[in-house]
Amino acid sequence: MGGNPCSEGSLHLPPLRGKDGMGGMERAHARQLRSNLTDAERRLWQTLRRRQLAGVKFRRQQPIGDFIVDFVCFECRLIVEVDGGQHVEQSHYDDVRTRWLEDRGYRVLRFWNNDVLADSDAVAQVILDAVASKV
């Protein structure tokens, strides 16, 4: 088996564009977020960038609809979120956001900052397993 596990025999859905896609959020805001990654996001990006994980492409701080997701693989319809302490207070918002993304065909994985920093190999394995299952 060679190549991208998400592209072999899976249904190809295009990335969301237009109203439901990448036009809903200001690109400048996403660009600003990309230049101000948290330590945990930076650590995870080192693993996800340049197709290092199973040969799939991840983008960071990507607008989708009215949201900016931390990391997304459009090929696998997989979103990875790295949450800090502020997410405890905004769990309802995160739930609504996750449901909206799932309704559009994405699978959302969430990790706490401290998990990414303390055990980045385990986090990478969970993401790899999700990619391998051809999400």
Side-chain angles (χ1 to χ4, degrees), residues 23-38:
M25 205 41 141
E26 275 188 51
R27 290 176 195 262
H29 186 237
R31 193 173 300 121
Q32 178 186 18
L33 290 173
R34 281 192 293 273
S35 66
N36 294 310
L37 295 176
T38 66

Side-chain angles (χ1 to χ4, degrees), residues 91-133:
S91 65
H92 175 71
Y93 171 82
D94 286 343
D95 291 343
V96 169
R97 181 176 187 259
T98 296
R99 274 195 304 277
W100 188 90
L101 292 163
E102 288 174 343
D103 287 347
R104 280 142 188 89
Y106 289 94
R107 178 173 177 194
V108 180
L109 299 178
R110 290 190 170 278
F111 301 97
W112 291 106
N113 281 346
N114 59 341
D115 292 332
V116 173
L117 293 171
D119 200 356
S120 55
D121 289 340
V123 169
Q125 186 62 53
V126 171
I127 297 168
L128 183 61
D129 291 346
V131 166
S133 69

Side-chain angles (χ1 to χ4, degrees), residues 34-109:
R34 281 192 293 273
S35 66
N36 294 310
L37 295 176
T38 66
D39 290 342
E41 290 169 338
R42 192 173 294 109
R43 166 96 45 100
L44 187 54
W45 181 237
Q46 293 305 314
T47 300
L48 298 178
R49 66 190 295 202
R50 297 185 188 143
R51 298 182 183 267
Q52 294 179 90
L53 192 74
V56 297
K57 179 175 181 144
F58 279 88
R59 295 175 184 262
R60 62 189 165 125
Q61 301 300 334
Q62 181 68 47
I64 300 178
D66 289 336
F67 307 106
I68 296 179
V69 300
D70 291 338
F71 304 99
V72 61
C73 174
F74 286 116
E75 299 166 86
C76 298
R77 307 292 283 187
L78 178 65
I79 292 171
V80 179
E81 291 289 320
V82 180
D83 297 337
Q86 77 278 9
H87 288 271
V88 173
E89 293 91 35
Q90 66 181 48
S91 65
H92 175 71
Y93 171 82
D94 286 343
D95 291 343
V96 169
R97 181 176 187 259
T98 296
R99 274 195 304 277
W100 188 90
L101 292 163
E102 288 174 343
D103 287 347
R104 280 142 188 89
Y106 289 94
R107 178 173 177 194
V108 180
L109 299 178

